[in-house]
DNA sequence: GTCTATACGACGATAGAC
DNA sequence: GTCTATCGTCGTATAGAC
């Protein structure tokens, strides 16, 4: 955190700021940018519409701050896999971390999905620079594992997409998954079972098990 | 098609009706229900807002008609896999069909994703009945393959979710995928490569290859 | 620092002329 | 069957009282 970013505890201002951000994540994640009203956010905080505008000059900047928040979370959570690791170990760690992230930060995941689905208007630069570079880096590591015969020759970029899609699915399509499985909400053991299932199929699918 | 559903060709009424449905799919798929305006739909058709209200009494019923449209498409495209088939053949056919569907009907896929993401308010009944039954049926077929030792013991429901998520990803997260791969749009050969990649990893991951 | 009041545009929807 | 005009509501955003 920098000194320009308010802290959770401290002055009323800082607590209000954080409360608005938290409420905004929930609202934006369910309805996207356009369909979310400042009224809904202020209701959730328990303050007035006008007060939200006092802290954030308009809806756009509030949305941007929320996205910044999530991008920082994403970047810090994306595991740094290294070329000198065993691919089975590194990929399993990556899959398990992403499954947990989808569980602990489901709203953030849905907000991200909403933004991409609608064309990533506000995240274009992040995708083009930060994330493209991140993928490029991981692709070259995976390729080095393939070249040294440690795993099957699979397309590294699509492997990353497969890990992203299969793990995020449980956050983004939570409603569908829970409805079909006839559950009210996820439980710890179900999350572990999902991680175990994905590790089994994906790692074996890359020639890293059995 | 029933006689209550207008045809593509025929009277002006029928052509207009279909044009509005098509435009609505595009708008709703990008922005979801709430953030889509009837104005945007009528602009896309090239008619007036009032005229859309002449064909559909309100936004809600238009949205419902569009969802019906997509559900029918989904149901007719979901391959009927049978217990007496070889699992490798049946699952490969299912994966390839879903990859193609994400390519040829990307907007429909995104609209569906938007609806689930926002809590599936309009699709709750479909998920609870039609789709849950469909999954139940496929789960028992996959389980029979496992019981007869034809494939590894993997959780059948999660296998279906894996196939759904990994294939839909290329439609729903199209913007992210294309940006990271630095492409303007998908090409036929890329779609084939994706299908091949997913078949390789998922089938091998279930003990159905090598 | 928070609240009331309000401006003003866009929205969904309808009525009525043609 | 389509168009213009218009209604009431809700949206974002601001000004000013306290």
């Amino acid at each position: 955190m920098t000194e320009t970013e308010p802290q959770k505890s401290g002055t009323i201002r800082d607590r209000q700021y954080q409360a608005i951000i938290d409420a905004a994540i929930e609202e934006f994640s369910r309805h996207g940018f356009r369909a979310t009203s400042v009224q809904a956010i202020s209701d959730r905080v328990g303050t007035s519409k006008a007060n939200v505008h006092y802290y954030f000059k308009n809806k756009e900047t509030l949305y941007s701050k929320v996205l910044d928040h999530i991008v920082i979370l994403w970047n810090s959570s994306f595991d740094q896999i290294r070329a000198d690791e065993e691919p089975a170990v590194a990929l399993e760690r990556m899959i398990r971390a992403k499954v947990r992230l989808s569980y602990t930060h489901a709203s953030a995941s849905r907000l991200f999905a909403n933004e991409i689905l609608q064309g990533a208007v506000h995240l274009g630069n992040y995708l083009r620079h930060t994330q493209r570079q991140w993928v490029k880096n991981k692709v070259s590591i995976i390729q080095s594992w393939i070249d040294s015969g440690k795993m099957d020759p699979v397309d590294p970029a699509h492997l990353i997409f497969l890990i992203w899609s299969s793990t995020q699915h449980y956050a983004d399509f939570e409603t569908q998954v829970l409805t079909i499985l006839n559950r009210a909400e996820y439980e710890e053991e179900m999350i572990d079972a999902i991680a175990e299932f994905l590790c089994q199929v994906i790692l074996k699918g890359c020639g890293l098990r059995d």
Side-chain angles (χ1 to χ4, degrees), chain A:
Chain A
M1 297 273 179
T2 71
E3 55 259 310
T4 57
E5 291 289 322
Q7 306 299 307
K8 240 178 198 167
S9 57
T11 62
I12 295 174
R13 171 171 194 88
D14 296 343
R15 276 188 283 112
Q16 277 284 56
Y17 183 98
Q18 194 58 40
I20 293 171
I21 291 276
D22 291 344
I25 289 178
E26 289 304 314
E27 291 297 323
F28 283 133
S29 74
R30 278 295 179 192
H31 311 111
F33 175 71
R34 279 209 242 176
T36 295
S37 67
V38 177
Q39 177 83 78
I41 295 171
S42 65
D43 284 353
R44 189 179 274 268
V45 174
T47 184
S48 69
K49 205 164 59 161
N51 202 27
V52 172
H53 280 287
Y54 168 72
Y55 285 98
F56 301 90
K57 68 168 172 287
N58 55 35
K59 202 170 91 165
E60 190 89 22
T61 60
L62 172 53
Y63 187 64
S64 289
K65 289 288 178 193
V66 167
L67 281 181
D68 288 349
H69 203 83
I70 289 174
V71 164
I72 289 169
L73 172 76
W74 246 230
N75 289 341
S76 69
S77 301
F78 276 160
D79 238 352
Q80 288 302 331
I81 64 174
R82 299 184 314 274
D84 62 346
E85 287 184 292
E86 281 303 308
V89 174
L91 290 179
E92 174 156 354
R93 184 153 36 84
M94 186 175 166
I95 291 170
R96 289 189 185 276
K98 271 235 76 189
V99 170
R100 282 227 76 79
L101 200 66
S102 288
Y103 176 58
T104 58
H105 292 82
S107 291
S109 180
R110 279 192 287 265
L111 175 39
F112 192 82
N114 241 314
E115 171 64 16
I116 305 289
L117 213 49
Q118 303 186 10
V121 193
H122 300 81
L123 276 182
N125 276 333
Y126 171 69
L127 296 183
R128 258 187 301 278
H129 301 112
T130 313
Q131 206 170 70
R132 187 189 286 169
Q133 200 52 48
W134 188 91
V135 170
K136 231 176 198 167
N137 180 250
K138 300 304 169 261
V139 162
S140 74
I141 292 175
I142 294 171
Q143 190 60 52
S144 76
W145 289 333
I146 293 170
D147 292 343
S148 58
K150 287 184 175 175
M151 59 182 285
D152 288 353
V154 298
D155 187 299
H158 288 300
L159 177 58
I160 292 171
F161 294 150
L162 174 60
I163 292 173
W164 280 355
S165 62
S166 59
T167 53
Q168 284 212 175
H169 186 74
Y170 290 93
D172 303 342
F173 289 74
E174 180 190 285
T175 306
Q176 186 184 30
V177 170
L178 291 177
T179 301
I180 285 177
L181 296 182
N182 200 19
R183 303 283 182 93
E185 54 183 20
Y186 291 128
E187 293 153 27
E188 281 283 345
E189 47 186 62
M190 194 177 158
I191 299 298
D192 292 339
I194 290 167
E196 188 51 44
F197 165 82
L198 290 176
C199 286
Q200 184 188 339
V201 174
I202 295 176
L203 292 186
K204 180 165 182 177
C206 295
L208 289 168
R209 279 196 183 184
D210 277 12

